[in-house]
Amino acid sequence: LETRLLAAGVDAPALSDVARELHADASLLSALAALAERAGRVVSLEPDRFVPRAALDAAVALLDARLARGECYAPGAIREALG
C-alpha cells in the first residue's frame, strides 16, 4: 500500500481503487492506512484517500515557494505551481 501511495505522491488514489488494483480487501487496506497515519507516514485527505507525509510536505513547500501568501488562486494555478 505505501509503495503505491509513494508512487502517486500527492495525486493520491482512493483506497477502494488501490484495493481493486491489488485485488486486496478494502477494509484491510483501510486498516493499514490508519496504522500508517498513526505512525505519521501518511496523511488522510478524505476517509478513503491518503497521501505520504513526505509528498504532502514537499507539495506545501513548493506552493509556499511559488505562490504568494494571502492570495486566492484558481485550481488550475495551483496545479501549475505544483508542476
Side-chain angles (χ1 to χ4, degrees), residues 3 6-7 13 15 20 23-24 26 33 36 40 48-50 54 65 68 74-75 78 80 83:
T3 300
L6 284 169
L15 289 181
R20 277 192 295 280
H23 304 286
D48 191 41
R49 199 171 305 272
F50 293 79
I78 294 170
E80 186 178 316

Side-chain angles (χ1 to χ4, degrees), residues 1-80:
L1 173 63
E2 283 190 64
T3 300
R4 175 64 177 89
L5 294 178
L6 284 169
V10 293
D11 191 21
L15 289 181
S16 54
D17 293 337
V18 176
R20 277 192 295 280
E21 286 176 26
L22 301 177
H23 304 286
D25 182 285
S27 61
L28 174 62
L29 290 184
S30 182
L32 289 172
L35 286 172
E37 183 179 31
R38 280 192 287 262
R41 295 190 312 264
V42 300
V43 176
S44 174
L45 299 181
E46 298 175 0
D48 191 41
R49 199 171 305 272
F50 293 79
V51 297
R53 164 68 68 188
L56 182 60
D57 290 346
V60 169
L62 191 58
L63 291 173
D64 196 38
R66 294 184 175 175
L67 301 177
R69 288 181 180 246
E71 298 293 324
C72 292
Y73 292 94
I78 294 170
R79 281 191 292 275
E80 186 178 316

